[in-house]
Amino acid sequence: QFPQTFPIISFHGNVHKNEGVGAVPTGPICYLTSTGFVTDSQWARFIKVVLKRRGVLKPEDESLEDRAALVKKYAAEIQKLKVTYINDASYHRPTQNMAKGRSGTLKVGEKYLGRGEDTWFWWDQGLEDLMGVPPENICMVQLLEKPWLFNHPERLANTHAHSPNRKELDPDDEKKYRAALQLTQDAYDALKENPPKVGSGQAGQSMPGCPSSGLSCANELAEISHALNDKYAAAVDDWCTERFDNADIVVGQGGEVVMLNMAWQCNQEIASRLVQAVRTKQTVYAGLSASTMVCAKSMEMTGEIQPGWLEAFAADSKYLSRKEFDAKDLDGDGISANVLGALPMLEAPVALRPHYCPAWEDQVLAHNLIAEKEFEEENGIEVPDDLVRDSKNGCEVSCRLLTLISKAMKTQDNPVFVPIRNGKVIEVNFTLENGEVTSEDYSVIA
């Protein structure tokens, strides 16, 4: 029998390796959300995890669920936290729309999801209002701007200004890169028209966003981007050390999942460093919506993938890191390579879909029945029928199914689909041996 509540006990019956029931974990960890942290208990859990990793959480406070009390008691430590905030899912959207979604003078969650009417949750605002992190300790970046290499100004609701001042930078390299990046914007704008100009950004076409090289706009950008990351490897290393290895928290914002995935596809060197920082340093990752989806093995089953989008914005699998993606990931069995999540945080065969809708139930169940059949046939372990049947209803039961099937994550091809309701938070605890992930425990934080 699986337990009915599972923030602490893993589904295969083990207690996390800390001090036992009620303990706050200190091992590698990440959080997957649909709409950020929306309850005091979610914030309290996150605060305690971050503080314990810094070695400052007192044992008597491990069971404390009062967010405000934790923020007050540990204010001096919280004010030392360093946060890197990745916001590429907004890059291609109109700036004024993003700014409107951040407007308002209220505290996050006080009346609305964000700070005002018709706003949504933004990590920096939540961390400031509900955790007490100083705004100057939060660095908002967009990978597509290559802040480790190029100087650029602030862009409202998108990124802070960055001035790496790399003396070794060849101006022609930046010019060539920005021309390729502009093609992705041209293609995006054309595909957002009504009707969409399908074919924009695609290989061998002569429509908006189509490179003269004959490549797709994503492959054009990926080719140039990876060459620059290799050429200026020292800049990449310096930036990743500062922004990932030395960060307490790295968060990812929601938005356009296909475009965010393209940003990670074009910057696999950066993706690998973030994954390693979470697994081997004290860095905690938290994703929201699109930034949750790109962590998974598959980002399919999203309504945002409209006709022509993958052809334009999914880079070829040859650009994916062979350090993080093996032959099984790339063989197309179970998961097509063009929908692989390009921030390979999770090893388990999972597809995460935020903003749960009951209309997905049949599709989720159909996919999970396929995953169950493969698991049972290859491992000789029977999965309880009610576990699969109920997995369509939300992330709690799907997490139990996923934790079970993840034990075969080295061989399983077909993913478990986990629908995440707004307001739900999934905590993933990783177990590593010799630097390799051997298991992942998925639990829901209420």
Side-chain angles (χ1 to χ4, degrees):
Q1 294 293 318
F2 291 96
Q4 296 302 305
T5 58
F6 24 81
I8 302 301
I9 305 297
S10 67
F11 299 123
H12 53 75
N14 294 331
V15 178
H16 289 315
K17 63 180 181 180
N18 309 97
E19 289 75 18
V21 175
V24 176
T26 57
I29 196 169
C30 75
Y31 291 88
L32 309 170
T33 82
S34 184
T35 48
F37 300 143
V38 299
T39 68
D40 269 10
S41 57
Q42 290 167 354
W43 277 108
R45 173 70 169 184
F46 183 71
I47 291 168
K48 289 186 292 185
V49 165
V50 172
L51 292 174
K52 187 165 183 178
R53 297 167 89 82
R54 291 181 65 87
V56 298
L57 182 68
K58 297 182 181 301
E60 62 267 26
D61 292 331
E62 294 216 6
S63 60
L64 182 61
E65 296 295 326
D66 189 329
R67 175 197 59 81
L70 286 165
V71 170
K72 182 178 180 180
K73 182 172 183 177
Y74 293 98
E77 289 297 331
I78 290 173
Q79 289 172 10
K80 300 176 186 177
L81 298 178
K82 296 179 181 179
V83 180
T84 298
Y85 181 13
I86 300 171
N87 193 27
D88 286 79
S90 294
Y91 182 89
H92 291 83
R93 288 180 168 179
T95 300
Q96 64 271 21
N97 293 356
M98 298 300 97
K100 183 178 179 181
R102 289 173 57 84
S103 62
T105 58
L106 300 176
K107 179 185 289 188
V108 167
E110 184 176 359
K111 188 175 181 181
Y112 307 104
L113 191 58
R115 286 179 172 174
E117 188 174 3
D118 296 324
T119 63
W120 53 91
F121 181 94
W122 295 78
W123 279 116
D124 59 335
Q125 295 179 346
L127 290 166
E128 292 168 23
D129 292 355
L130 299 175
M131 193 168 167
V133 177
E136 61 270 20
N137 288 14
I138 303 173
C139 180
M140 183 188 288
V141 303
Q142 289 180 321
L143 305 179
L144 290 170
E145 290 282 5
K146 289 196 177 295
W148 52 91
L149 193 56
F150 303 143
N151 294 352
H152 65 82
E154 178 182 7
R155 185 179 171 210
L156 184 63
N158 277 269
T159 178
H160 294 155
H162 294 277
S163 300
N165 296 317
R166 303 299 300 200
K167 295 180 180 179
E168 70 272 31
L169 176 63
D170 183 341
D172 287 341
D173 285 339
E174 180 173 5
K175 183 178 180 181
K176 185 177 181 181
Y177 174 81
R178 292 209 174 277
L181 183 58
Q182 182 59 47
L183 289 176
T184 69
Q185 185 68 64
D186 295 342
Y188 174 88
D189 293 342
L191 285 166
K192 281 290 189 178
E193 291 183 14
N194 188 15
K197 294 181 178 178
V198 176
S200 297
Q202 292 187 24
Q205 302 292 325
S206 57
M207 297 181 71
C210 294
S212 59
S213 65
L215 299 173
S216 70
C217 63
N219 284 341
E220 178 92 348
L221 186 66
E223 186 75 25
I224 296 170
S225 179
H226 285 294
L228 291 178
N229 289 345
D230 288 342
K231 182 177 180 178
Y232 300 103
V236 170
D237 181 62
D238 290 346
W239 190 85
C240 289
T241 298
E242 178 184 6
R243 295 301 174 194
F244 294 160
D245 296 354
N246 295 336
D248 298 284
I249 302 167
V250 177
V251 291
Q253 189 63 32
E256 299 280 6
V257 65
V258 177
M259 309 312 289
L260 174 62
N261 208 53
M262 183 189 71
W264 284 114
Q265 289 171 333
C266 293
N267 290 287
Q268 286 290 280
E269 303 83 359
I270 314 301
S272 293
R273 285 293 297 270
L274 176 53
V275 170
Q276 291 307 307
V278 171
R279 292 179 181 176
T280 65
K281 308 293 181 182
Q282 291 297 305
T283 310
V284 178
Y285 177 82
L288 185 162
S289 190
S291 287
T292 282
M293 296 176 71
V294 297
C295 290
K297 287 295 183 184
S298 172
M299 63 164 198
E300 60 184 312
M301 209 182 81
T302 168
E304 293 177 30
I305 303 181
Q306 297 295 318
W309 278 61
L310 291 178
E311 293 84 352
F313 303 126
D316 192 279
S317 62
K318 70 180 182 181
Y319 297 109
L320 297 178
S321 169
R322 294 309 188 264
K323 180 180 179 181
E324 307 296 343
F325 295 92
D326 59 23
K328 181 178 71 67
D329 295 326
L330 301 171
D331 63 12
D333 290 342
I335 301 172
S336 298
N338 62 356
V339 293
L340 284 169
L343 176 59
M345 192 70 65
L346 308 176
E347 293 287 349
V350 57
L352 298 162
R353 184 63 179 101
H355 316 301
Y356 170 85
C357 173
W360 306 344
E361 289 183 2
D362 290 344
Q363 190 176 4
V364 170
L365 178 58
H367 280 287
N368 287 350
L369 284 169
I370 294 172
E372 174 203 22
K373 182 179 180 181
E374 179 190 355
F375 177 79
E376 290 181 338
E377 289 180 351
E378 293 190 359
N379 295 277
I381 300 173
E382 185 174 354
V383 177
D385 290 340
D386 59 345
L387 192 60
V388 183
R389 183 188 65 241
D390 294 341
S391 68
K392 65 183 181 180
N393 295 321
C395 60
E396 290 90 345
V397 179
S398 292
C399 280
R400 304 186 209 179
L401 177 63
L402 176 60
T403 298
L404 175 61
I405 290 182
S406 71
K407 307 313 168 190
M409 59 190 176
K410 296 299 183 184
T411 58
Q412 179 84 12
D413 287 311
N414 291 287
V416 174
F417 277 72
V418 178
I420 309 177
R421 296 177 187 272
N422 289 347
K424 295 293 185 180
V425 172
I426 297 175
E427 180 182 281
V428 185
N429 285 272
F430 302 90
T431 300
L432 277 72
E433 291 182 8
N434 300 318
E436 298 292 328
V437 175
T438 56
S439 68
E440 296 170 349
D441 288 343
Y442 292 75
S443 54
V444 177
I445 309 300

